[in-house]
């Protein structure tokens, strides 16, 4: 789903590069993609980290370290969620008049949500609290995923929060490509954009 | 004081296995709560704001372009061209490997991607003609780092976003250093080949050069689109990245046909008339366009690029939070003041920068490291009269070295997989060539001209005053 | 750094700390406050968008993370459309007229026009009058026809160039030099200070001394924070602020004239307009006024026009 959005964004962006609102919309969708995707990456334990030190310890110590680490992650997500909620609710209640720079807010959508009074839509452009909604929403998901990971580590199903060498996957794909060099079915891959 | 605690916290969290992004974000939050009266709300806002950054929007597009270009077919064609040009020299296949890495680096913004694309083909080829596995892996592991020095470069986009210098200038600045670094590696290989008596390929003639160049043409056109587009004033770097992504998609699906619905469908079948072939291809492309957009391979590429984008951007966003806290706490100013009082000159300062980055590069992911270090050293550099573009190139070269040094060095992991050898063996294999990169770092650090000549002569002198 | 017990005032802006009218004014303000109000208040200035850019700083102010900022007037669109008056072309004859208007009852009322939304204006800081430049000579309004001009995000400025038959393009300030050089845009409008310090004249055919509009900043604070200050602190701050504002605004004219001369010394071309030419430009752009009269209010517009007559 994210992927389709992403593809749409690119298409729209490239073909309408003079439309400022398309550009702004792209940046918002980008932010949504990353914050939403970050929770998915937690679920997949795909976030990058340093495992070289932890791997040197005994299994028991590793487990304790992992529990401390996941507690830190939960603290992070909890504080961020609190801040995100404060931020968003300020925009929703007190600063609801603030609009984005360029993205229009179509009349019919405003009608749908009862934002039209006496035939006059309340907004010309998208109110800021709409794009910002991803903050409390995304961080709730991130917090939830970290809690799930904590349970997993506690039960012993998981040993780490981070990808053990993010490169492993790349390497597997590279091997596949290497085995039947040429137009193989291996998915195109690359390092984390470095 | 707060700065010391901040960095100690980051390192402690990293060590116990907390994700990089969370380590950066959590440490910033703690410092903020203890030392400052900023609200948590503003930090959450920063998380969103960093992703609204127009410059950083180039990153997903470059990642995507690179993903479509990594489908084997482009790399194969580039390698063929490289072998045709330099393969007949002593150590020719290794030199061609470096040359191919340089060419691929001009299409891709990432180093590991360069290693995967070129290494998975060239290392096997080199072993077949009698090179040792160590030699082959060591060469490619090093040459692959050029992926972030030769434009386009994701690390440069990150530097530009963190310091507000122009992405276009940074890209231009990478051209001469990239050529020099590649040249130095080639010379090193040639010398080693003379000493060790390594093999040379047959000279296949000018015709092969032309034919292979024509074959690689559509891939190499991407360089022209990106650089020509930016400097010709057709589009901004972010737009160039988006165009590159779409172009790469079209080339991979419809020209090279390495993926998608037309995979393995020939441009001209045996005995087919020219007109029939033209009409059939037009029809195939028109009919195949929508299927190509929703083809499983396209989806997988998008998903993969999306995954990388998310991981990278989440790190960058949290690093930007840390940057915000550093600014609020006025840490760069404090360090700058201390350094100036200590009597640092521009060249001793650059030694300090190199050491900081080399140590940091052992543990950190390049983009995150740059976001944190750049705002720290940038103001000092300006005060000492160091050109911001020059500083950026120094940082990029340090990141290159960080990628091939343990414990965190993505090029090492990737090479180990591609060459099928243990990581420690790759470390040893890469070591002699690392020496060349180290010499190159000194050269780049103390000869600013290498970095600044192209951008200054094409775009005028860099100005740092804003508004 | 601030001592315990002092009221911390964070001032965030986007220009260089030195060499720019706004940066210098902010630095002077901080110096005076930290000197005269030592023990009571302490001002920290964050230049160069270190903390927030112009688009974010007002939100940060409403969240309580900065206390003072000085965005250009067009950044207040979302809070009140009345500030559009300062973007209207050829409304003010010169910077003295701008001064008179800002000091008038109408100008002072504007400072309080956003209080319901949480922002309070403390006063206006000048950058100066705007000049036009392009990659060809601009002497008559027809010369601008079909050219692409860089503008800030502002509906008035967009209408102004559309009235000329030109093509306005929104572009970040940091990208203007490159865009002019590569031909992404053909021209721009700015004060002498900006044209000289950003070296725009190097990549333009010449600069036409049009004085067609004003580029000013509103120093703004959070109404909640300001009204919550102890009375003595607030009045002392305001006194210092007004002094600094007067001093710096007088300087800004000198700085602009000096930068005009520096453009000429550096080999840039400066074209002056004769009375007929200026009248032609004014005639071409004036229709824009009517378009925004509804947003601004007729009274205010009349007051602004009246400020041109010095007495
Ligand atoms: Na590259
Ligand atoms: Na490393």
């Amino acid at each position: 789903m994210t992927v389709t959005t992403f593809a749409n964004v690119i298409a729209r962006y490239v073909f309408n590069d003079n439309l400022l609102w398309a550009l702004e919309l792209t940046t918002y969708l980008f932010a949504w993609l990353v914050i939403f995707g970050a929770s998915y990456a937690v679920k997949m334990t795909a976030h990058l980290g340093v495992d070289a030190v932890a791997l040197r310890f005994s299994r028991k110590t590793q487990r304790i370290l992992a529990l401390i680490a996941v507690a830190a992650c939960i603290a992070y997500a909890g504080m961020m969620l609190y801040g995100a909620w404060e931020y968003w609710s300020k925009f929703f209640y007190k600063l609801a008049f603030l609009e984005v720079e360029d993205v229009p807010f179509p009349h019919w959508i405003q009608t749908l949500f009862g934002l039209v009074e006496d035939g006059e839509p309340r907004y010309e452009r998208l109110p800021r609290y709409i794009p910002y909604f991803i903050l409390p929403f995304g961080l709730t998901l991130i917090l939830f995923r970290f809690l799930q990971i904590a349970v997993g580590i506690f039960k012993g199903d998981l040993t780490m929060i981070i990808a053990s060498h993010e490169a492993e996957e790349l390497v597997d794909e590279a091997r596949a490509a290497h085995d039947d060099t040429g137009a193989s079915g291996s998915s195109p891959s690359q390092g984390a954009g470095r | 004081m707060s700065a010391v605690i901040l960095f100690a916290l980051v390192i402690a969290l990293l060590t116990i296995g907390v994700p990089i992004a969370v380590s950066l974000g959590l440490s910033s939050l703690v410092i903020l709560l203890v030392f400052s009266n900023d609200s948590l709300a503003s930090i959450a806002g920063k998380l969103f704001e960093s992703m609204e950054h127009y410059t950083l929007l180039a990153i997903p597009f470059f990642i995507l372009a690179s993903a479509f270009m990594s489908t084997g077919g482009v790399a194969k064609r580039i390698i063929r061209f490289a072998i045709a040009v330099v393969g007949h020299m002593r150590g020719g296949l290794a030199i061609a490997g470096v040359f191919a890495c340089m060419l691929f680096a001009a299409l891709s913004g990432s180093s590991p991607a360069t290693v995967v694309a070129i290494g998975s083909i060239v290392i096997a080829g080199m072993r077949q003609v009698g090179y040792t596995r160590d030699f082959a892996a060591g060469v490619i592991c090093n040459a692959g780092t050029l992926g972030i020095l030769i434009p386009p470069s994701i690390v440069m986009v990150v530097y530009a976003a963190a310091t507000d210098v122009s992405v276009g200038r940074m890209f231009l600045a990478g051209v001469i250093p990239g050529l020099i670094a590649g040249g130095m590696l080639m010379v090193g290989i040639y010398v080693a080949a003379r000493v060790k008596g390594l093999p040379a390929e047959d000279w296949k003639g000018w015709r092969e050069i032309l034919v292979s160049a024509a074959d690689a043409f559509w891939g190499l056109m991407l360089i022209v689109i990106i650089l020509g587009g930016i400097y010709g004033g057709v589009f901004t770097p972010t737009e160039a990245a988006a165009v590159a992504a779409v172009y790469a998609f079209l080339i991979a699906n419809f020209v090279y046909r390495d993926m998608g619905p037309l995979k393995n469908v020939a441009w001209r079948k045996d005995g087919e008339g020219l007109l029939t072939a033209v009409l059939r291809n037009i029809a195939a492309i028109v009919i195949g366009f929508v299927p190509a957009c929703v083809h499983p391979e396209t989806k997988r590429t998008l998903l993969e690029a999306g995954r990388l984008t998310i991981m990278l951007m989440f790190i960058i966003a949290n690093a930007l939070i840390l940057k915000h806290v550093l600014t609020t706490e006025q840490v760069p100013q404090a360090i700058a003041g201390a350094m100036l009082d200590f009597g640092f000159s521009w060249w001793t300062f650059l030694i300090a920068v190199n050491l900081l980055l080399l140590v940091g590069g052992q543990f950190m992911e390049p983009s995150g490291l740059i976001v944190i270090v750049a705002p720290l050293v940038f103001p000092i550099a300006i005060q000492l009269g160091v050109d911001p573009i020059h500083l950026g190139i120094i940082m990029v070269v340090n990141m290159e070295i960080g990628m091939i040094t343990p414990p965190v060095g993505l090029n090492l992991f990737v090479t180990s997989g591609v060459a099928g050898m243990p990581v420690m063996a790759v470390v040893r294999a890469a070591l002699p060539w690392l020496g060349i990169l180290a010499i190159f770092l000194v050269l780049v650090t103390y000869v600013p001209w290498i970095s600044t000549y192209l951008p200054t002569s094409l775009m005028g002198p860099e100005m740092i005053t804003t508004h | 750094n601030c001592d315990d017990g002092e009221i911390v005032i964070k001032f965030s802006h986007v220009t260089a700390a030195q060499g720019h009218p706004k940066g210098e004014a902010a630095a002077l303000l901080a110096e005076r406050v930290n000197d005269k109000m030592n023990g009571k208040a302490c001002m920290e200035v964050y230049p160069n968008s270190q903390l927030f850019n112009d688009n974010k700083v007002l939100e940060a102010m409403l969240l309580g993370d900065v206390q003072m900022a000085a965005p250009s007037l067009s950044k207040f669109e979302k809070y009140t459309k009345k500030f559009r008056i300062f973007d209207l072309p050829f409304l003010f004859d010169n910077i003295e007229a701008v001064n008179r208007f800002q000091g008038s009852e109408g100008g002072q009322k504007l400072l309080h026009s956003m209080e319901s939304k949480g922002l309070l204006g403390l006063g206006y800081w000048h950058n100066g009058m705007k000049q036009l430049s392009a990659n060809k000579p601009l002497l008559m309004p027809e010369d601008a026809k079909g050219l692409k001009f860089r503008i800030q995000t502002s509906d008035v400025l967009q209408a102004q160039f559309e009235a000329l038959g030109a093509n306005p393009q929104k572009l970040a300030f940091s990208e203007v030099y490159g865009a002019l050089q590569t031909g992404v845009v053909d021209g721009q409008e700015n004060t002498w200070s900006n044209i000289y310090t950003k070296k725009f004249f190097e990549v333009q055919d010449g600069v036409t001394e049009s004085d067609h509009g004003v580029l000013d900043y509103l120093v703004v604070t959070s109404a909640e924070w300001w009204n919550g200050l102890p009375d003595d602190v607030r009045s002392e701050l305001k006194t210092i602020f007004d002094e600094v504002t007067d001093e710096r605004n007088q300087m800004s004219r000198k700085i602009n004239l000096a930068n005009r001369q520096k453009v000429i010394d550096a080999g840039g071309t400066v074209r002056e307009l004769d009375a007929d030419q200026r009248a032609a430009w004014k005639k071409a752009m004036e229709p824009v006024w009517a378009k925004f009269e509804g947003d601004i209010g007729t009274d205010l517009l009349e007051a602004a026009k009246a400020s041109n007559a010095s007495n």
Side-chain angles (χ1 to χ4, degrees):
Chain A
M1 186 190 70
T2 333
V3 171
T4 340
T5 321
F6 201 39
N8 280 339
V9 168
I10 291 159
R12 201 171 317 152
Y13 176 48
V14 170
F15 298 120
N16 292 329
D17 65 337
N18 283 323
L19 291 179
L20 283 161
W21 65 266
L23 179 65
E24 195 185 38
L25 187 65
T26 310
T27 62
Y28 288 145
L29 289 174
F30 183 41
W32 278 65
L33 171 78
V34 176
I35 298 177
F36 181 79
S39 69
Y40 186 70
V42 172
K43 183 190 168 198
M44 308 300 287
T45 61
H47 283 293
L48 213 56
V50 180
D51 60 357
V53 183
L55 285 176
R56 286 170 183 252
F57 290 104
S58 70
R59 286 201 71 103
K60 202 179 151 200
T61 320
Q62 273 186 42
R63 203 170 113 90
I64 295 169
L65 287 180
L67 282 172
I68 299 174
V70 81
C73 292
I74 290 169
Y76 164 83
M79 280 195 269
M80 276 299 206
L81 174 58
Y82 176 82
W85 176 257
E86 290 262 285
Y87 188 74
W88 183 78
S89 55
K90 206 142 193 174
F91 277 93
F92 187 70
Y93 294 111
K94 211 173 137 191
L95 305 177
F97 62 88
L98 278 182
E99 299 175 359
V100 304
E101 301 286 328
D102 296 302
V103 180
F105 198 19
H107 198 293
W108 64 271
I109 298 181
Q110 296 196 48
T111 315
L112 215 61
F113 287 94
L115 295 173
V116 180
E117 288 145 23
D118 309 327
E120 274 292 298
R122 191 181 297 173
Y123 296 104
E124 270 175 49
R125 289 164 187 152
L126 210 61
R128 288 212 168 239
Y129 61 76
I130 291 183
Y132 290 165
F133 181 68
I134 190 63
L135 276 173
F137 179 67
L139 282 156
T140 307
L141 290 179
I142 291 175
L143 179 62
F144 172 71
R145 292 300 182 194
F146 274 132
L147 288 169
Q148 269 189 335
I149 298 275
V151 172
I153 292 175
F154 194 76
K155 280 187 181 163
D157 300 342
L158 284 171
T159 53
M160 281 218 179
I161 320 165
I162 50 176
S164 216
H165 293 344
E166 182 257 356
E168 262 171 25
E169 212 172 305
L170 295 178
V171 166
D172 291 343
E173 283 161 8
R175 272 217 187 94
H178 172 105
D179 289 343
D180 57 348
T181 316
S184 74
S186 80
S187 139
S189 69
Q190 53 149 40
R194 260 130 294 204
Chain B
M1 182 58 194
S2 54
V4 177
I5 301 176
L6 180 65
F7 288 115
L9 254 178
V10 172
I11 291 169
L13 289 170
L14 280 177
T15 315
I16 61 169
V18 176
I20 294 174
V22 175
S23 304
L24 301 175
L26 182 60
S27 311
S28 316
L29 286 172
V30 168
I31 294 303
L32 190 91
L33 289 179
V34 178
F35 291 97
S36 147
N37 45 8
D38 271 16
S39 59
L40 280 177
S42 68
I43 295 302
K46 277 278 163 194
L47 190 68
F48 191 92
E49 191 189 323
S50 52
M51 274 164 292
E52 281 179 278
H53 209 299
Y54 177 67
T55 310
L56 291 176
L57 197 57
I59 292 177
F61 296 133
F62 276 132
I63 289 181
L64 197 57
S66 190
F68 282 119
M69 279 292 166
S70 301
T71 51
V74 178
K76 236 178 18 179
R77 291 174 174 90
I78 285 176
I79 292 166
R80 180 180 163 197
F81 172 64
I83 293 175
V85 177
V86 291
H88 60 283
M89 302 205 296
R90 198 54 85 92
L93 206 48
I95 295 176
V98 174
F99 188 36
C101 280
M102 290 168 71
L103 289 173
F104 196 83
L107 308 179
S108 157
S110 138
S111 283
T114 308
V115 172
V116 171
I118 302 298
S120 53
I121 301 169
V122 164
I123 294 178
M126 283 170 75
R127 294 197 58 202
Q128 274 167 15
V129 297
Y131 291 85
T132 66
R133 193 167 61 173
D134 279 10
F135 189 89
V139 165
I140 297 300
C141 184
N142 273 269
T145 65
L146 294 175
I148 56 170
L149 182 59
I150 294 176
S153 159
I154 287 167
V155 172
M156 287 182 189
V157 172
V158 173
Y159 176 80
T163 58
D164 282 326
V165 304
S166 131
V167 177
R169 272 175 189 279
M170 279 303 295
F171 280 7
L172 266 187
V175 172
I176 295 179
L179 294 177
I180 292 179
M184 282 170 71
L185 279 174
M186 288 181 183
V187 170
I189 292 169
Y190 185 74
V191 171
R194 282 271 158 194
V195 174
K196 292 186 182 176
L198 293 172
E201 305 289 295
D202 297 331
W203 166 245
K204 290 175 187 153
W206 290 101
R207 199 184 134 73
E208 168 65 10
I209 292 183
L210 286 178
V211 170
S212 61
D215 198 25
F217 172 81
W218 292 106
L220 294 176
M221 262 305 280
L222 195 61
I223 308 174
V224 180
I225 291 177
I226 295 173
L227 292 187
I230 295 174
Y231 301 111
V234 186
F235 21 71
T236 65
T238 306
E239 287 166 341
V243 171
V246 172
Y247 176 82
F249 165 77
L250 296 177
I251 293 298
N253 275 283
F254 301 114
V255 179
Y256 287 160
R257 300 177 179 180
D258 300 321
M259 59 186 296
L262 298 185
K263 192 154 140 184
N264 300 330
V265 174
W267 275 97
R268 191 167 178 182
K269 291 175 178 161
D270 285 339
E272 193 178 27
L274 186 61
L275 187 65
T276 334
V278 169
L279 291 176
R280 182 180 56 82
N281 278 300
I282 291 173
I285 289 169
V286 170
I287 296 169
F289 185 77
V290 174
C293 293
V294 296
H295 194 273
E297 280 173 342
T298 307
K299 281 188 182 167
R300 206 150 49 158
T301 309
L302 284 169
L303 194 66
E304 180 64 17
R307 197 177 67 89
L308 292 170
T309 302
I310 288 162
M311 282 190 341
L312 203 61
M313 277 308 300
F314 199 54
I315 291 176
I316 292 172
N318 281 281
L320 284 168
I321 291 178
L322 192 138
K323 173 195 163 182
H324 180 72
V325 172
L326 289 176
T327 311
T328 323
E329 296 291 307
Q330 307 237 340
V331 173
Q333 287 83 342
I335 297 181
M339 277 186 147
L340 293 175
D341 290 346
F342 210 78
F344 269 83
S345 65
W346 70 274
W347 66 275
T348 42
F349 163 74
L350 288 180
I351 293 179
V353 170
N354 279 326
L355 288 177
L356 179 68
L357 288 167
L358 286 175
V359 172
Q362 306 312 301
F363 303 98
M364 266 290 287
E365 188 282 329
S367 303
L369 186 62
I370 284 215
V371 174
I372 295 164
V373 174
L376 218 53
V377 299
F378 191 78
I380 313 173
I382 303 307
Q383 267 189 311
L384 290 172
V386 178
D387 184 282
I389 298 293
H390 178 211
L391 180 70
I393 297 297
I394 294 174
M395 290 203 165
V396 171
V397 176
N398 272 294
M399 295 303 106
E400 286 188 78
I401 293 176
M403 293 175 122
I404 49 174
T405 48
V408 180
L410 217 84
N411 272 20
L412 292 175
F413 304 147
V414 172
T415 311
S416 122
V418 170
M421 56 199 279
V423 174
M424 277 322 285
V426 180
V427 174
R428 276 192 301 275
L431 205 59
W433 309 108
L434 184 62
I436 292 184
L437 274 189
I439 296 171
F440 173 64
L441 174 62
V442 175
L443 191 67
V444 160
T445 305
Y446 293 111
V447 190
W449 178 91
I450 297 175
S451 318
T452 56
Y453 173 73
L454 259 192
T456 308
S457 55
L458 291 183
M459 297 177 79
E462 168 75 4
M463 284 159 298
I464 20 170
T465 48
T466 43
H467 293 238
Chain C
N1 268 12
C2 297
D3 302 325
D4 282 345
E6 288 179 333
I7 295 168
V8 179
I9 308 164
K10 287 186 183 165
F11 192 132
S12 166
H13 67 82
V14 297
T15 71
Q18 278 125 32
H20 189 282
K22 178 158 64 175
E24 301 249 356
L28 183 65
L29 181 63
E31 193 189 307
R32 295 271 171 88
V33 168
N34 291 335
D35 179 34
K36 290 188 184 168
M37 300 184 72
N38 190 23
K40 271 194 269 186
C42 161
M43 184 175 285
E44 290 172 343
V45 181
Y46 297 88
N48 290 325
S49 310
Q50 274 175 9
L51 272 193
F52 298 99
N53 63 29
D54 259 357
N55 292 325
K56 285 281 167 182
V57 73
L58 296 177
E59 293 174 23
M61 183 171 283
L62 293 169
L63 291 167
D65 291 324
V66 304
Q67 285 71 41
M68 280 195 196
S72 59
L73 292 168
S74 49
K75 296 288 171 191
F76 293 94
E77 274 275 280
K78 284 180 221 138
Y79 299 85
T80 172
K81 295 200 165 123
K82 287 190 169 15
F83 282 107
R84 287 184 160 167
I85 192 166
F86 292 103
D87 280 345
L88 292 181
F90 289 108
L91 180 60
F92 301 104
D93 287 348
N94 49 39
I95 200 80
E96 285 75 24
V98 177
N99 261 335
R100 279 191 292 273
F101 173 68
Q102 290 173 344
S104 74
E105 195 194 330
Q108 289 296 306
K109 246 201 216 155
L110 268 179
L111 296 178
H112 294 271
S113 60
M114 300 176 292
E115 244 179 312
S116 63
K117 295 185 171 167
L119 296 179
L120 182 68
L122 292 176
Y124 304 91
W125 283 357
H126 297 323
N127 187 318
M129 299 300 281
K130 289 186 291 187
Q131 322 301 335
L132 277 173
S133 75
N135 55 11
K136 57 176 267 200
L138 297 175
L139 286 170
M140 290 299 278
E142 296 75 48
D143 299 333
K145 205 171 213 159
L147 298 185
K148 285 175 282 180
F149 281 91
R150 175 266 169 177
I151 56 165
Q152 282 188 292
T153 303
S154 152
D155 291 351
V156 181
L157 299 180
Q158 187 162 344
Q160 167 192 300
F161 281 110
E162 279 165 359
L164 293 173
N167 191 355
Q169 308 262 320
K170 295 179 195 174
L171 208 63
F173 189 66
S174 54
E175 290 182 46
V176 178
Y177 184 93
L180 289 171
Q181 188 180 40
T182 54
V184 170
V185 293
D186 303 307
Q188 59 93 41
E189 50 161 23
N190 243 311
T191 60
W192 287 116
S193 294
N194 286 350
I195 290 171
Y196 176 71
T197 55
K198 294 301 281 186
K199 308 222 188 311
F200 294 154
F201 65 94
E202 285 180 351
V203 285
Q204 296 276 268
D205 173 79
V207 186
T208 301
E209 188 162 28
S210 55
D211 284 340
H212 64 284
V214 61
L215 182 57
D216 259 18
Y217 309 105
L218 181 70
V219 182
V220 68
T221 185
S222 147
E224 194 185 330
W225 176 80
W226 181 259
N227 294 327
L229 287 175
D231 286 346
D232 60 321
V233 172
R234 189 170 50 235
S235 67
E236 201 176 344
L237 259 179
K238 181 74 167 122
T239 310
I240 297 174
F241 174 79
D242 288 342
E243 281 169 21
V244 169
T245 302
D246 275 352
E247 272 176 49
R248 292 309 310 183
N249 278 353
Q250 278 168 28
M251 287 288 288
S252 79
R253 188 178 161 77
K254 281 187 207 145
I255 295 174
N256 268 299
L257 285 175
N259 281 325
R260 177 185 184 277
Q261 190 55 45
K262 283 183 193 163
V263 168
I264 297 170
D265 294 345
T269 306
V270 173
R271 297 194 177 85
E272 291 172 26
L273 296 177
D274 64 34
D276 290 343
Q277 287 166 332
R278 199 175 146 83
W281 282 95
K282 188 169 176 177
K283 187 160 172 266
M285 287 183 173
E286 230 174 41
V288 173
W289 297 5
K291 207 173 163 188
F292 295 95
E293 192 169 339
D295 292 336
I296 293 164
T298 311
D299 293 354
L300 208 57
L301 200 60
E302 290 307 321
K305 286 182 199 164
S307 69
N308 284 325
S310 61
N311 37 32

